[in-house]
Amino acid sequence: MKDLLPVREGHVCGTAADNHLFVEAVLYRYRAGIPWRDLPARFGDWKNVHRRLRRWCESGVIERIFRHLASDHDNEYMMINSTIGRAHQHSAGTRKKRGTDQAIGRSRRGLTTKIHAVVDASGKAAILSLTPGQRADITEAEPLLDEVEPKAFIADKADDADPFIKKLKERQITVAIPSRRSRRNPRKISSQLYKNRNIIERLSVRLKQFGGVATRYDKLKSTFIAAMQLVSAIIGLN
């Protein structure tokens, strides 16, 4: 990661000796699920840590790190799944601007955010996205599929839609998606292949071990998804 960070050694702006400490501060905050102001003093002024995180979000630093580490993915098969994260009331106070979407919606569970992930055969997250909690899974499946080239694709019944299945077949991707009960002619899929879907379920569990991911405290979508990208990158390295 260090060669992708700003103000690294040899960078024209000088060297930041605390890049490692800053990354640990961000991970600590999301692991513990604490307010920024409760960040331990050993990490420095919490305002500076938060301000720096916002700069990295806006400049795309964390996204570049995530995409670089995720680029070496296993294309044998991939899978998609979504999980609901509760949105804390503190995350809902962003001023509404025309055309902006902070990916917070209202569902039966109250204020929620839905986390969509595409994971490769090794269990590494390849793509992450956010939508409001009430949004249907299939709305994200098609655009996320455009970013990957798997030989086979695994999903649950929520993604069993004719246009999506047709798109997979056109790209000659093996379909491992169970048919809905309403289908007159259910598809036959490889049960052995579909069993691998537990890989993405395990990743969801590991993500939610971070309190700041299981419950969203961030007002801005860009901050929250950057944090998930950083957490996913670290999980993928372990």
Side-chain angles (χ1 to χ4, degrees):
M1 288 172 58
K2 65 182 179 66
D3 295 330
L4 299 171
L5 301 180
V7 291
R8 56 195 175 274
E9 187 175 351
H11 195 267
V12 293
C13 297
T15 302
D18 61 344
N19 268 342
H20 189 280
L21 184 65
F22 166 70
V23 172
E24 285 199 348
V26 175
L27 290 173
Y28 181 94
R29 188 263 176 171
Y30 284 93
R31 176 72 177 186
I34 57 174
W36 282 107
R37 64 180 64 253
D38 291 341
L39 198 66
R42 68 177 182 273
F43 293 118
D45 188 342
W46 68 269
K47 291 182 181 178
N48 291 336
V49 176
H50 180 262
R51 188 179 300 115
R52 190 170 174 185
L53 175 61
R54 285 301 309 151
R55 287 203 307 267
W56 283 26
C57 291
E58 292 170 2
S59 60
V61 172
I62 295 179
E63 183 176 3
R64 286 197 296 273
I65 292 171
F66 172 74
R67 289 187 176 275
H68 173 73
L69 295 177
S71 61
D72 184 24
H73 44 247
D74 188 339
N75 287 327
E76 180 183 355
Y77 57 82
M78 287 188 176
M79 59 211 80
I80 190 171
N81 194 27
S82 67
T83 184
I84 291 287
R86 177 177 172 268
H88 194 272
Q89 59 184 359
H90 292 168
S91 68
T94 307
R95 292 182 179 179
K96 301 295 187 295
K97 295 181 180 179
R98 184 174 298 177
T100 59
D101 172 23
Q102 299 303 342
I104 296 178
R106 191 173 293 278
S107 62
R108 294 179 182 178
R109 303 183 186 182
L111 293 174
T112 54
T113 290
K114 185 173 284 188
I115 304 167
H116 304 263
V118 173
V119 174
D120 71 1
S122 67
K124 184 190 300 182
I127 314 170
L128 295 168
S129 70
L130 297 176
T131 62
Q134 76 277 11
R135 188 81 58 83
D137 291 3
I138 193 63
T139 60
E140 284 295 288
E142 288 194 46
L144 293 182
L145 178 64
D146 291 337
E147 299 189 40
V148 292
E149 293 289 340
K151 296 178 181 177
F153 200 74
I154 306 170
D156 61 16
K157 293 181 180 180
D159 296 307
D160 178 25
D162 288 337
F164 185 54
I165 301 299
K166 181 181 178 181
K167 190 172 185 178
L168 287 167
K169 290 182 177 179
E170 287 175 349
R171 292 177 56 183
Q172 299 182 339
I173 298 173
T174 302
V175 179
I177 303 175
S179 300
R180 294 176 183 267
R181 291 184 179 180
S182 58
R183 281 198 178 273
R184 293 183 179 180
N185 299 309
R187 284 186 312 281
K188 292 182 179 180
I189 65 170
S190 168
S191 59
Q192 193 65 35
L193 181 60
Y194 187 71
K195 285 180 181 179
N196 293 314
R197 189 172 171 273
N198 73 87
I199 293 173
I200 196 169
E201 298 288 357
R202 294 202 302 269
L203 177 66
S204 296
V205 170
R206 294 189 70 183
L207 280 173
K208 286 195 170 184
Q209 288 175 350
F210 285 74
V213 174
T215 300
R216 172 179 169 175
Y217 297 95
D218 299 301
K219 296 179 184 294
L220 300 179
K221 175 182 178 179
S222 58
T223 305
F224 188 54
I225 195 166
M228 286 199 309
Q229 289 171 337
L230 185 60
V231 169
S232 297
I234 297 301
I235 289 175
L237 291 173
N238 293 333

